[in-house]
Amino acid sequence: MQKRLVSLDVLRGLDIFFLVVLYPVVSSIEYANNELFSYLIPFFLHSDWNGFSFWDIVMPLFMFMSGVTIPYSLGKYREKSATYHIYLRLIRRVILLWIIGMMIQGNLLGFDPNLIFIYTNVLQAIAVGYFISSLLYLNVSVKSQICVAVILLLAYWGIMEFVTINGYGGGDYTPQRNLSEYVDRVVLGRFRDCARVIDGKVVFLPSYTYTWILSSLNFVVTILSGLFAGEILRSTMSNRRKLWLMFGMGIAWSVVGWILNMVHPVNKHIWTSSFTLVSSGYCMLLMWLFYYWIDCCGHKKFLVLFMVYGMNSITAYVLTEIPNVTKRLTIISNALFHPIEPYVGEYYQVIIAGSNVFIIYLVLYFMYKKKIYLRL
């Protein structure tokens, strides 16, 4: 029986902890207007455009770890040849991730047809990347998977660099004139996030610069990079060789990505090939570090907090991000702490945010203790 990869649970839990615990609490600090804590806020902001910030690693890491799970969840099907049941399971996973992603954006549960947006969320990016990567894992060799990853990286770069349509593209990487922006506007139209129909014309919000359609080429590569890590970790090679291989790959991808940045900018908003390489390299190095520290060296104490989040990561993300759930949690927290509001003043919002995430933690801890794990 395959031994559980504890390092993966912990690393995933740490990633989710930053997203669903620290981010809401730190974001509420701005209401407190306290200079002592305000220095934390920049660490929880994405890069304005080109470049790489601390917070830019959160989404790629979530996607990378989805790729790591593929050899563990689908390995037996690859070894015994997949049947149509596994493909139905993959399709079901894509549909569920897509629907949950729309719920998280708040445009399904609001029942407002004017706020229905199709492709806007990390779960949907995972759905695309996971589905294609799983098909590749089940049907082609590792060498072929690597070739596909390289082709997708080059294809995205080539399209962005050399294709020009209606004044977009042709090596233009500015927020409003890059080709990925144009593709999203044409394909998604009114169903693009933040788009509105005014006087019969679709109007796009200039400040919304995240793209999804063309970026999906590199979403697949991000998931594949995690798949390569999973292949290494699940293999029978020695731990020493696994560690050296992951470390070397992480360093190589990061270096190549930053070199490519000179002609093809590192940019999370449009998920460029250079960003894909840099972020995947960092993710691989984090996986290498946690695997060495936890699974190889056996340092497993004081990790329950991250295990709670890591083993129910989708549940934690959904409970935190769905607007209707957040509103109800805030009602509960206000009922509990309203009497102290006059005494804490500007810190009241910080207390409410902390209460919300603590209630979610109690739910997740109960599930962890009862061994209830929600899988898609």
Side-chain angles (χ1 to χ4, degrees), residues 235-291:
S235 71
T236 57
M237 68 179 70
S238 67
N239 283 335
R240 181 182 179 86
R241 187 177 179 187
K242 290 178 183 178
L243 290 168
W244 275 113
L245 193 54
M246 287 193 294
F247 180 77
M249 292 169 67
I251 293 294
W253 292 349
S254 303
V255 170
V256 172
W258 282 116
I259 291 174
L260 185 59
N261 175 62
M262 293 186 287
V263 294
H264 181 64
V266 171
N267 187 300
K268 178 187 181 294
H269 295 249
I270 56 178
W271 215 272
T272 57
S273 297
S274 54
F275 174 83
T276 304
L277 286 167
V278 169
S279 59
S280 295
Y282 292 167
C283 290
M284 184 66 85
L285 290 173
L286 285 170
M287 190 72 250
W288 161 78
L289 177 63
F290 275 65
Y291 180 70

Side-chain angles (χ1 to χ4, degrees), residues 303-363:
L303 297 177
V304 171
L305 173 65
F306 301 124
M307 294 287 288
V308 167
Y309 286 103
M311 297 183 75
N312 264 309
S313 56
I314 297 294
T315 306
Y317 184 61
V318 168
L319 289 177
T320 304
E321 296 295 324
I322 290 183
N324 286 0
V325 174
T326 303
K327 290 177 183 177
R328 283 160 176 74
L329 288 174
T330 301
I331 290 172
I332 296 173
S333 297
N334 275 317
L336 292 172
F337 294 101
H338 181 68
I340 70 170
E341 183 176 4
Y343 304 101
V344 297
E346 58 189 12
Y347 290 98
Y348 183 67
Q349 291 300 325
V350 180
I351 293 173
I352 295 301
S355 173
N356 287 351
V357 300
F358 182 68
I359 292 171
I360 292 174
Y361 176 76
L362 291 179
V363 173

Side-chain angles (χ1 to χ4, degrees), residues 65-279:
M65 289 183 288
S66 296
V68 176
T69 65
I70 292 175
Y72 288 88
S73 61
L74 301 181
K76 60 183 179 181
Y77 299 103
R78 183 183 184 183
E79 292 159 2
K80 298 179 180 180
S81 74
T83 64
Y84 75 94
H85 294 288
I86 187 60
Y87 295 113
L88 290 177
R89 175 179 153 191
L90 291 175
I91 292 171
R92 184 194 70 173
R93 181 180 177 87
V94 169
I95 293 172
L96 287 175
L97 284 171
W98 210 279
I99 292 173
I100 294 172
M102 294 181 74
M103 291 168 58
I104 285 173
Q105 293 303 116
N107 48 45
L108 271 189
L109 298 182
F111 301 107
D112 183 349
N114 294 317
L115 297 177
I116 296 296
F117 308 119
I118 294 178
Y119 196 175
T120 61
N121 187 268
V122 60
L123 294 184
Q124 294 160 342
I126 289 175
V128 171
Y130 185 91
F131 181 71
I132 296 176
S133 297
S134 295
L135 292 180
L136 290 169
Y137 176 76
L138 290 170
N139 294 286
V140 303
S141 66
V142 175
K143 288 183 179 180
S144 297
Q145 295 164 24
I146 294 172
C147 288
V148 170
V150 172
I151 290 170
L152 291 176
L153 288 168
L154 292 175
Y156 180 93
W157 169 76
I159 292 170
M160 293 290 288
E161 192 70 24
F162 301 112
V163 176
T164 303
I165 304 177
N166 293 335
Y168 289 82
D172 190 331
Y173 292 98
T174 58
Q176 299 302 321
R177 305 307 296 181
N178 69 82
L179 190 65
S180 191
E181 172 73 19
Y182 175 79
V183 171
D184 268 30
R185 290 187 178 194
V186 171
V187 175
L188 296 177
R190 192 210 69 74
F191 298 101
R192 187 188 184 191
D193 202 0
C194 299
R196 297 291 186 272
V197 178
I198 302 176
D199 297 329
K201 182 180 179 181
V202 178
V203 177
F204 301 100
L205 185 67
S207 60
Y208 184 81
T209 56
Y210 291 97
T211 61
W212 302 90
I213 302 299
L214 194 55
S215 300
S216 294
L217 296 175
N218 282 333
F219 293 158
V220 174
V221 180
T222 300
I223 302 288
L224 278 174
S225 67
L227 189 156
F228 298 148
E231 293 252 43
I232 294 170
L233 292 168
R234 191 173 179 268
S235 71
T236 57
M237 68 179 70
S238 67
N239 283 335
R240 181 182 179 86
R241 187 177 179 187
K242 290 178 183 178
L243 290 168
W244 275 113
L245 193 54
M246 287 193 294
F247 180 77
M249 292 169 67
I251 293 294
W253 292 349
S254 303
V255 170
V256 172
W258 282 116
I259 291 174
L260 185 59
N261 175 62
M262 293 186 287
V263 294
H264 181 64
V266 171
N267 187 300
K268 178 187 181 294
H269 295 249
I270 56 178
W271 215 272
T272 57
S273 297
S274 54
F275 174 83
T276 304
L277 286 167
V278 169
S279 59

